[in-house]
């Protein structure tokens, strides 16, 4: 009886925590799991007037054949992978570099000021940031192009140039997220044994050699972990960012799966095709998630459960 009493006491003690997490669980259950039944639309010729549970014509995998025969599906997948890979690679390099530089600052006040300044964009939505970036990157009145003109460079239409658009998305995403992402690496830096630095100093190592032979090896495991886990988002190019800043002019290099699905389903009312595209993305993402967690466990010992 004693173990049961202990479990009961623990449940009573933790009951407020269960109540706190209940809204999040309900939201996930309703909008993530409850909506899974709708994937059946991908295998139907869906007519909204008949309703989700009405008698719909079953077409099997015909919607997938139609989807992959569309001339723009290849560029859309390519754009998604290119932009997502760019964000993932830059999203590792820049936070690591910033954490290393910030770690070298000895003034606690200066360190907090810099941290606060670079954290701020993370807490702003892309709706707000897109308006700021559209003004900053304007080819006629934007601050960035004004600076470029001062050094003799012709204005660049960052959001209207198909060649410049993917890089603009990568750079703007890194600008928004690198400050918050550096928190992980700052925590890892704090966990490196100070005795290693003392030994390196005794051996005559300068700051650069200490970084090369002590700091970076100390960060290696967390860098590998974040890189491996980043592969799970290889088909997530960032809908909210791109949707707020792209236009038909840059569809050739800026249209990603999420925006493609949105246009098919919401703007063109091709519900079956958009569901098929979304299901394809979810299936591939699931494979990458499973593979990334397997690799994370194999190389760094990271386990979710």
């Amino acid at each position: 009886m004693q173990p049961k009493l202990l479990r009961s006491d623990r449940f009573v003690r933790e009951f407020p925590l269960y109540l706190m997490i209940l809204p999040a669980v309900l939201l996930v259950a309703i909008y993530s799991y409850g909506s899974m039944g709708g994937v059946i639309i991908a295998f139907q010729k869906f007519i909204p007037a008949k309703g989700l549970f009405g008698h719909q014509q079953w077409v099997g995998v015909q919607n997938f054949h139609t989807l992959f025969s569309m001339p723009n599906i290849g560029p859309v997948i390519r754009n998604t992978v290119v932009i997502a890979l760019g964000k993932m690679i830059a999203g590792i390099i820049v936070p690591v570099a910033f954490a290393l530089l910030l770690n070298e600052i000895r003034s606690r006040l200066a360190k907090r000021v810099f941290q606060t300044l670079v954290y701020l964009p993370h807490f702003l939505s892309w709706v707000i940031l897109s308006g700021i970036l559209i003004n900053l990157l304007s080819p006629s009145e934007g601050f960035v192009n004004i600076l470029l003109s001062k050094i003799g460079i012709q204005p660049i239409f960052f959001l209207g140039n198909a060649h410049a658009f993917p890089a603009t998305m990568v750079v703007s995403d890194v600008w928004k997220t690198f400050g918050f992402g550096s928190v992980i690496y700052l925590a890892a830096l704090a966990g490196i044994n100070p005795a290693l630095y003392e030994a390196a100093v005794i051996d005559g190592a300068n700051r650069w050699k200490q970084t090369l032979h002590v700091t970076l090896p100390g960060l290696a495991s967390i860098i590998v972990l974040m890189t491996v886990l980043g592969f799970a988002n290889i088909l997530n190019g960032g809908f909210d960012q791109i949707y707020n800043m792209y236009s038909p002019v840059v569809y050739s290099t800026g249209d990603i799966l999420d925006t493609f699905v949105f246009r098919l389903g919401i703007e063109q009312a091709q519900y079956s095709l958009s569901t098929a595209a979304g299901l394809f993305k979810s299936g591939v993402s699931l494979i990458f998630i499973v593979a990334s967690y397997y690799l994370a466990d194999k190389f760094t010992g990271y386990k979710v459960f």
Side-chain angles (χ1 to χ4, degrees):
M1 293 297 293
Q2 188 66 20
K4 291 184 179 180
L5 289 176
L6 290 175
R7 286 195 294 268
S8 176
D9 292 341
R10 180 180 177 183
F11 177 79
V12 172
R13 185 174 64 254
E14 296 178 350
F15 184 71
L17 301 178
Y18 293 124
L19 287 179
M20 290 175 63
I21 201 174
L22 181 61
V25 172
L26 289 176
L27 286 174
V28 171
I30 294 172
Y31 293 105
S32 296
Y33 290 96
S35 60
M36 282 185 176
V39 300
I40 195 174
I41 297 174
F43 305 96
Q44 298 173 335
K45 185 178 180 181
F46 183 73
I47 300 176
K50 294 182 179 180
L52 183 62
F53 302 102
H55 182 68
Q56 304 284 351
Q57 181 182 351
W58 185 266
V59 296
V61 295
Q62 181 60 44
N63 289 319
F64 292 92
H65 287 298
T66 303
L67 175 68
F68 289 110
S69 64
M70 298 177 73
N72 54 341
I73 188 64
V76 165
I77 296 175
R78 180 202 64 206
N79 297 340
T80 305
V81 174
V82 168
I83 293 175
L85 272 177
K87 289 181 178 180
M88 186 186 73
I89 294 171
I92 295 293
I93 296 175
V94 176
V96 169
F98 177 74
L100 291 174
L101 293 173
L102 195 64
N103 193 55
E104 295 298 319
I105 298 178
R106 295 292 172 246
S107 171
R108 296 185 62 183
L109 177 61
K111 184 180 293 188
R112 289 178 179 178
V113 170
F114 281 117
Q115 282 182 307
T116 302
L117 289 175
V118 299
Y119 287 174
L120 283 177
H122 174 80
F123 299 101
L124 299 177
S125 71
W126 276 115
V127 176
I128 298 173
L129 288 179
S130 63
I132 296 173
L133 288 170
I134 288 171
N135 289 326
L136 286 176
L137 301 177
S138 170
S140 58
E141 301 177 352
F143 179 72
V144 174
N145 276 304
I146 290 175
L147 288 180
L148 292 177
S149 65
K150 296 293 185 182
I151 58 176
I153 299 177
Q154 293 295 322
I156 302 172
F157 196 178
F158 292 97
L159 300 180
N161 185 314
H163 298 291
F165 187 82
T168 304
M169 294 300 97
V170 172
V171 172
S172 59
D173 181 77
V174 171
W175 169 64
K176 183 180 188 296
T177 60
F178 84 92
F180 193 81
S182 64
V183 172
I184 298 172
Y185 303 106
L186 286 171
L189 285 171
I192 297 177
N193 190 347
L196 297 175
Y197 291 103
E198 295 174 2
V201 171
I202 293 173
D203 290 339
N206 55 26
R207 296 300 299 176
W208 168 247
K209 290 185 177 180
Q210 291 176 40
T211 300
L212 193 62
H213 297 291
V214 178
T215 306
L216 288 180
L219 292 177
S221 61
I222 191 65
I223 292 174
V224 171
L225 174 62
M226 298 303 295
T227 302
V228 169
L229 294 182
F231 282 108
N233 295 315
I234 200 66
L235 291 185
N236 290 324
F239 170 80
D240 47 353
Q241 176 198 19
I242 292 179
Y243 180 74
N244 281 287
M245 288 193 283
Y246 83 148
S247 63
V249 180
V250 295
Y251 278 177
S252 60
T253 59
D255 196 18
I256 61 172
L257 273 171
D258 288 332
T259 54
F260 178 71
V261 170
F262 178 84
R263 289 202 316 279
L264 276 180
I266 304 300
E267 297 180 1
Q268 302 176 19
Q270 298 187 48
Y271 303 111
S272 297
L273 277 179
S274 63
T275 305
L279 184 58
F280 162 74
K281 178 196 169 185
S282 299
V284 175
S285 296
L286 177 63
I287 295 173
F288 277 113
I289 288 172
V290 173
S292 65
Y293 279 111
Y294 169 78
L295 293 174
D297 179 29
K298 182 175 181 180
F299 290 110
T300 65
Y302 174 83
K303 290 181 179 291
V304 180
F305 303 107

